[in-house]
């Protein structure tokens, strides 16, 4: 029996439809494959550019680091020449600060020991600070001047040389300042607040347990007895007298007999010259050029590592994090 022509026609149409669907599916897969290949290629390009920019950034950073290293070598070469050593006394004189006794004493020893340094200048811009830290530096200056009597030490005050900063300056051979510099403030202070009456108004009870009758006498939340006030005033007076004695020992008969000298007042450089607190008006450059005779200034002191300098210059927190990850990060107050 012959096949039905109608069935054959339907089979052909069905076959054509299947083939067309298969062809469409292939095109779709080709499109998907092409899209995936494009995304992959884009990712590869992005990755290559990312690597390029990272290498460029590291190259830039290491280039700057190399410049600092070269600069360090050049600075060392300068030490071969005769020069005037300069040490900065900048900011509060306190433990952990730039002008701590540890930093200043180390710089002073290096400057005095260096045979090519013909004199030492302390360039001072400080409001003062700890009497203990100032006393350490004062005593070390006296010791070094005794060990190297041929090498003069000059103190040059810029904006301010007050309190503990003047304490240190008094140990120098001579002191210079600008006519408008602030000089002096020879005194001691201890300041705080008392909150006793405020606590009473608020209904707050202070509970301080201590062993020793006067252990909490400086507690701002407890009343200050008259006997404790007198005692603390004696402590401050003793410290003040130590300050006065050291200034007298350093300045000698150059001090004029003015009763206000040790009252805690501060003077301009011009006034300080008339009172004998300083020896002349001038800058560090002037002293090096006209007094010492060696205009070349070489700084001594705690130096940052090249990486620390790089981080400090760039001021970028990412760089600081990088250095951290790499492990390369290098009583009263005198007033």
């Amino acid at each position: 029996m012959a096949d039905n022509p109608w069935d054959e026609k339907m089979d052909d149409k069905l076959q054509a439809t299947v083939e067309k669907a298969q062809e469409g599916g292939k095109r779709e897969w080709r499109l998907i494959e092409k899209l995936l290949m494009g995304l992959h290629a884009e990712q590869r390009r992005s990755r290559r550019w990312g690597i390029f920019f990272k290498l460029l950034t590291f190259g830039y950073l290491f280039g700057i680091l190399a410049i600092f290293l070269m600069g360090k070598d050049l600075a060392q070469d300068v030490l071969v020449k005769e020069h005037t050593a300069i040490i900065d006394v900048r900011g509060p004189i306190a433990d952990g600060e730039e002008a701590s006794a540890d930093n200043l004493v180390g710089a002073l020893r290096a400057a005095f020991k260096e045979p090519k340094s013909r004199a030492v200048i302390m360039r001072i811009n400080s409001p003062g600070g700890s009497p203990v830290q100032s006393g350490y530096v004062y005593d070390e200056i006296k010791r070094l001047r005794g060990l190297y009597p041929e090498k003069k030490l000059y103190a040059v005050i810029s904006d301010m040389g007050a309190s503990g900063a003047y304490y240190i300056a008094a140990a120098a051979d001579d002191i210079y300042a600008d006519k408008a510099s602030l000089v002096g403030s020879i005194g001691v202070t201890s300041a705080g607040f008392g909150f006793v009456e405020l606590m009473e108004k608020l209904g707050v009870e202070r509970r301080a347990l201590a062993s020793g009758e006067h252990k909490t006498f400086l507690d701002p939340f407890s009343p200050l007895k008259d006997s404790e006030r007198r005692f603390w005033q004696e402590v401050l007076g003793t410290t003040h007298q130590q300050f006065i004695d050291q200034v007298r020992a350093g300045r000698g008969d150059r001090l004029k007999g003015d009763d206000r000298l040790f009252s805690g007042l501060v003077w301009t450089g011009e006034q300080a010259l008339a009172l004998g607190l300083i020896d002349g008006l001038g800058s560090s450059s002037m002293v090096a050029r006209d007094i010492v005779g060696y205009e070349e200034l070489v700084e001594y002191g705690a130096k940052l590592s090249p990486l620390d300098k790089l981080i400090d210059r760039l001021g970028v927190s990412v760089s600081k994090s990088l250095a951290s990850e790499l492990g390369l990060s290098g009583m009263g107050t005198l007033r």
Side-chain angles (χ1 to χ4, degrees):
M1 183 175 179
D3 293 334
N4 188 338
W6 176 257
D7 292 337
E8 291 180 358
K9 186 181 291 187
M10 290 300 294
D11 289 341
D12 293 339
K13 287 183 178 181
L14 180 60
Q15 181 66 28
T17 302
V18 171
E19 291 176 354
K20 187 175 181 180
Q22 290 176 343
E23 183 63 28
K26 290 179 181 178
R27 284 199 301 270
E28 291 176 356
W29 277 110
R30 282 197 294 269
L31 288 173
I32 294 172
E33 184 180 7
K34 187 176 181 180
L35 178 61
L36 291 174
M37 292 296 293
L39 290 173
H40 180 64
E42 183 65 27
Q43 287 178 344
R44 292 178 61 186
R45 281 195 296 270
S46 298
R47 191 180 299 112
R48 284 198 296 267
W49 279 111
I51 293 172
F52 171 75
F53 282 116
K54 287 177 182 178
L55 291 174
L56 186 63
T57 301
F58 278 108
Y60 174 73
L61 294 176
F62 282 111
I64 296 177
L65 181 60
I67 292 173
F68 280 125
L69 288 171
M70 291 174 62
K72 183 180 178 182
D73 293 337
L74 291 174
Q76 290 175 343
D77 292 339
V78 172
L79 294 180
V80 177
K81 303 177 183 178
E82 293 181 332
H83 59 273
T84 299
I86 190 160
I87 298 168
D88 279 317
V89 182
R90 183 169 47 230
I93 301 170
D95 186 30
E97 298 288 343
E98 181 181 349
S100 69
D102 285 343
N103 289 341
L104 295 179
V105 166
L108 285 164
R109 289 173 180 171
F112 271 95
K113 184 178 180 180
E114 172 55 50
K116 295 296 183 180
S117 69
R118 295 310 182 195
V120 182
I121 292 176
M122 288 190 303
R123 184 167 52 195
I124 297 173
N125 186 13
S126 169
S130 163
V132 176
Q133 297 285 309
S134 301
Y136 284 160
V137 179
Y138 181 101
D139 293 342
E140 184 63 16
I141 291 172
K142 289 292 189 180
R143 188 185 75 85
L144 290 170
R145 285 180 58 192
L147 287 176
Y148 303 91
E150 76 288 350
K151 190 170 293 190
K152 297 288 187 180
L153 184 141
Y154 303 93
V156 178
I157 297 170
S158 55
D159 294 285
M160 179 179 292
S163 189
Y166 186 78
Y167 189 160
I168 291 174
D173 288 283
D174 293 306
I175 305 174
Y176 291 83
D178 183 79
K179 60 183 178 296
S181 301
L182 295 179
V183 181
S185 187
I186 302 172
V188 183
T189 183
S190 175
F193 296 92
F195 301 99
V196 178
E197 292 184 7
L198 177 61
M199 292 174 62
E200 289 177 354
K201 290 180 180 180
L202 295 175
V204 178
E205 179 187 0
R206 172 64 168 165
R207 295 175 180 175
L209 305 178
S211 177
E213 181 183 356
H214 302 289
K215 187 63 178 177
T216 60
F217 81 97
L218 290 179
D219 177 16
F221 302 102
S222 300
L224 182 62
K225 301 175 184 177
D226 289 339
S227 59
E228 294 171 341
R229 188 188 304 274
R230 289 193 297 270
F231 166 77
W232 191 237
Q233 192 61 54
E234 290 176 5
V235 172
L236 298 180
T238 300
T239 306
H240 187 200
Q241 189 58 52
Q242 292 170 354
F243 191 177
I244 293 171
D245 292 342
Q246 298 293 54
V247 171
R248 288 190 187 279
R251 299 298 297 165
D253 56 10
R254 288 176 288 185
L255 293 172
K256 301 300 186 285
D258 193 312
D259 294 336
R260 301 173 299 167
L261 277 179
F262 307 116
S263 67
L265 289 174
V266 64
W267 318 88
T268 67
E270 192 172 7
Q271 293 171 315
L273 180 60
L275 292 168
L277 291 170
I278 66 173
D279 300 286
L281 300 177
S283 64
S284 299
S285 299
M286 184 279 290
V287 172
R289 181 182 63 249
D290 299 338
I291 308 299
V292 180
Y294 291 88
E295 191 171 1
E296 185 75 46
L297 293 172
V298 175
E299 292 188 19
Y300 287 72
K303 299 189 182 300
L304 295 173
S305 69
L307 183 60
D308 288 332
K309 289 182 179 179
L310 173 63
I311 293 171
D312 186 58
R313 290 287 182 88
L314 292 177
V316 181
S317 60
V318 175
S319 298
K320 292 185 178 181
S321 298
L322 175 62
S324 177
E325 290 296 328
L326 294 176
L328 299 175
S329 303
M331 175 167 84
T333 302
L334 291 180
R335 288 193 183 167

